[in-house]
Amino acid sequence: MTVEIALVFVIIAAALYLFASEKLPLDVTALLIMIILIAIPKIFHSEWLLERGVDLESAFPSVGEGLSGLSSTATVTVLAMFILSAGIQRSGLVHVLGKQLFPLVGNSELRMMLIIAALVGGVSGFINNTAAVAVAIPLVVDMARRLKMQASRMLIPVSFFGMLGGTLTLIGTSTNILASAILAEDPNFNRQIGMFEFTHLGLIVFGVGLLYFVTIGRWLLPKKDRVRLSSEEDEPFIIDLGVPADSPLIDEPLDDTEFIVKSGVEVLKLIRGDTIHLKRASEIKIRAQDVIQVRANLRQVMDLIKAGEVEVLSEWDETRPARSDGQLVRVLLRNRQIFKGRSARTVNFWERYQARLIGLETEKIKGHRMADEPLYVGEIALLQISRTALERLRRLTDVVVIEESHDEFDRKQMWLAGGIITAVVTGAVLTPLPIVVTALLGVVAMVATGCVKKDEMYTSVSWDVIFLLAGIIPLGIAMTKSGAADLLGGLLASQAGGWHPILLLMALYAVTTVLTELVSNNASVVILVPVAISLGQILGIDIFGLTLIVMFAASTSFLSPIGYQTNTMIFGTGLYKFTDFAKVGAPLNLLLMVVTSISVWWLWLT
């Protein structure tokens, strides 16, 4: 072992310690590594060392190479994918897809799991899987609450299927993009991995993961939630819904329609003239002009305002929105002269504030209708109001504006955002343009069409991930230039030279999995892809197949909540113990180690 290689190993050991202990943020550790790698040859290179065979300049990255992580195709592509994912997330496309799929669930936990796999796994192949999971978490929690299921039995599948879906395409996860960039630097490969070049392997892995959850995995999930999840948006309002003459609900009981499951509301009353139906409200055939009183959270109210089946009523039964720029606000009733038991109809919010009262945050309505409910100081109401009227309302002391809610889900933007993502993918597949170029063109299109606002371009990027990538890429360069990768590859080859290729692949998969749990998926790829390339060249094995093993193992790390970002996100809900991930994830990791290794051997090494 040379002095140069020994120095690289010392830096790697220090990096692994800092990554595992998190004494510094991961991105700061990565930047520190980059600085050290650049500084060593500049500070310590000397004629005295050269005479003794120590050439630090040839073993460590130059200044340009050390900073190359900032301009790497991997870093730029991941940055662009964050912005593209924000466009999809902001458009509400995933939310709408979920609302269309969830009525198929019924009361079946198994069907719920299949829909999670289809929605989260499918979407994760084409936008950043972290963003897909972030959008899916509130959807799944809400659905679990509606169906009286345990959210903890659903969120681990959300995270795991997000990871599995990320293996379907090159852009599904930053790990794939980074590994492709490293592999492209090798003169024996010298190209970027194609968008769908390993999709067939991803489908095999995804299918095995789905089969695991359908059979074994669902029995290993927690039996009950450790805490109850709630947020301000989950606080329910009681609202009145009118049934227009052209509603598709007419002549059907609500139980026989998809309305309750699709909207997620709780039906409280059916009011028909002077008659009120309570216990059988959802079993009676709906007629025009009926009023359905429901309990709904803020997101559900937003969806109902745009729904065609019903009209959200105000205290005056006025269904027309206040103005085209109307928005929902939660207000605290404050004026004791106005809110002293007078009914909502008598207070007349429209005349006083140019606002529609459409909901009350209360356990039940004492009278027939919301308009008849007496209002008191300290109660919370939901108003729809224009921006101009809201500015006037803020200056009054009658109420206190607690929260504004903008419904930014726009059908036109959904189509635009979905079309842009489709164009990014098809452009990379059908034209000579690389994915980094089509992704950047997609970013320009997202901003130009308003799918992403100018200031959101920067706030939507996880800069810690960008600087993590930029900082650790030079470490891979140092491993190659110093000969450290060749040394590790040679040691592994000497030990495993007589092994069957499947056993070699399994060993590489296991090492990557353990390293990913200790550091991060991107750090393990930077360290082990050069080793895989060197190992392949020594043993005469296809380096693409070995790189795929590292990619897939780093992208499917299920053993702990710190091994992958999506696991960390759902662990943050407080529903899980640390060991829940190993209980569900360890058998799946072992199964995928065998399946992925056999599949790579069969598809690329035979």
Side-chain angles (χ1 to χ4, degrees), residues 242-274:
V243 180
D246 59 350
S247 172
L249 300 178
I250 292 176
D251 294 330
E252 295 284 346
L254 291 177
D255 281 347
D256 292 351
T257 70
E258 293 183 347
F259 174 74
I260 296 176
V261 173
K262 204 168 181 179
S263 65
V265 300
E266 178 187 354
V267 177
L268 303 176
K269 299 177 186 175
L270 177 65
I271 305 167
R272 180 171 296 161
D274 294 329

Side-chain angles (χ1 to χ4, degrees), residues 232-241 265 294-306 312-316 318 321-322 326-334 339 344 347-350 353-362 365 370-371 373 375-376 378-386 390 393 399-407:
E232 277 196 342
E233 187 171 298
D234 291 329
E235 293 300 325
F237 296 92
I238 292 180
I239 63 173
D240 288 344
L241 304 175
V265 300
V294 303
R295 182 177 284 115
N297 65 31
L298 197 55
R299 177 69 256 169
Q300 292 161 354
V301 174
M302 290 179 183
D303 291 339
L304 287 168
I305 288 174
K306 296 185 292 186
V312 177
L313 303 179
S314 73
E315 77 275 24
W316 282 95
E318 173 60 60
Q327 62 192 76
L328 298 181
V329 294
R330 295 171 72 241
V331 298
L332 177 70
L333 306 183
R334 182 176 176 184
F339 306 112
V347 170
N348 196 342
F349 281 81
W350 180 256
Y353 313 116
Q354 286 73 58
R356 299 171 60 214
L357 172 67
I358 61 175
L360 292 172
E361 195 173 296
T362 183
I365 297 292
M370 181 186 67
E373 183 72 2
L375 301 179
Y376 296 94
E379 292 184 322
I380 293 175
L382 182 66
L383 306 181
Q384 188 183 45
I385 190 169
S386 70
L390 178 59
L393 185 67
V399 300
V400 177
V401 177
I402 300 174
E403 178 189 23
E404 300 175 39
S405 300
H406 303 266
D407 188 5

Side-chain angles (χ1 to χ4, degrees), residues 246 320 371 539:
D246 59 350
R320 182 176 57 85
L539 297 179

Side-chain angles (χ1 to χ4, degrees), residues 14-15 18-19 22-34:
L18 289 174
F19 279 135
E22 295 190 37
K23 290 186 178 297
L24 293 173
L26 298 185
D27 50 329
V28 175
T29 297
L31 289 175
L32 180 61
I33 294 167
M34 178 182 74

Side-chain angles (χ1 to χ4, degrees), residues 305-490:
I305 288 174
K306 296 185 292 186
E309 304 101 324
V310 294
E311 296 171 332
V312 177
L313 303 179
S314 73
E315 77 275 24
W316 282 95
D317 292 353
E318 173 60 60
T319 60
R320 182 176 57 85
R323 274 179 51 169
S324 59
D325 65 349
Q327 62 192 76
L328 298 181
V329 294
R330 295 171 72 241
V331 298
L332 177 70
L333 306 183
R334 182 176 176 184
N335 190 320
R336 294 184 182 277
Q337 298 303 314
I338 298 173
F339 306 112
K340 55 180 181 180
R342 298 166 66 185
S343 72
R345 194 189 306 273
T346 305
V347 170
N348 196 342
F349 281 81
W350 180 256
E351 184 177 315
R352 288 179 183 274
Y353 313 116
Q354 286 73 58
R356 299 171 60 214
L357 172 67
I358 61 175
L360 292 172
E361 195 173 296
T362 183
E363 282 299 313
K364 64 179 182 178
I365 297 292
K366 300 178 180 66
H368 286 193
R369 297 284 305 280
M370 181 186 67
D372 304 318
E373 183 72 2
L375 301 179
Y376 296 94
V377 169
E379 292 184 322
I380 293 175
L382 182 66
L383 306 181
Q384 188 183 45
I385 190 169
S386 70
R387 293 176 188 172
T388 305
L390 178 59
E391 291 305 313
R392 290 195 297 268
L393 185 67
R394 289 182 184 281
R395 293 193 290 269
L396 300 177
T397 58
D398 294 354
V399 300
V400 177
V401 177
I402 300 174
E403 178 189 23
E404 300 175 39
S405 300
H406 303 266
D407 188 5
E408 297 180 334
F409 291 175
D410 183 274
R411 292 278 176 178
K412 180 182 176 183
Q413 286 198 339
M414 289 180 196
W415 285 106
L416 284 171
I420 290 168
I421 289 289
T422 303
V424 167
V425 174
T426 55
V429 173
L430 301 179
T431 72
L433 294 176
I435 182 61
V436 64
V437 175
T438 61
L440 289 173
L441 286 172
V443 169
V444 173
M446 284 284 189
V447 176
T449 57
C451 293
V452 174
K453 295 179 181 178
K454 182 180 177 181
D455 55 347
E456 290 176 341
M457 278 184 63
Y458 306 100
T459 58
S460 62
V461 176
S462 295
W463 291 105
D464 55 341
V465 175
I466 298 301
F467 284 110
L468 174 64
L469 291 174
I472 61 176
I473 284 175
L475 185 58
I477 296 173
M479 287 192 64
T480 301
K481 290 185 69 174
S482 67
D486 289 337
L487 177 65
L488 289 176

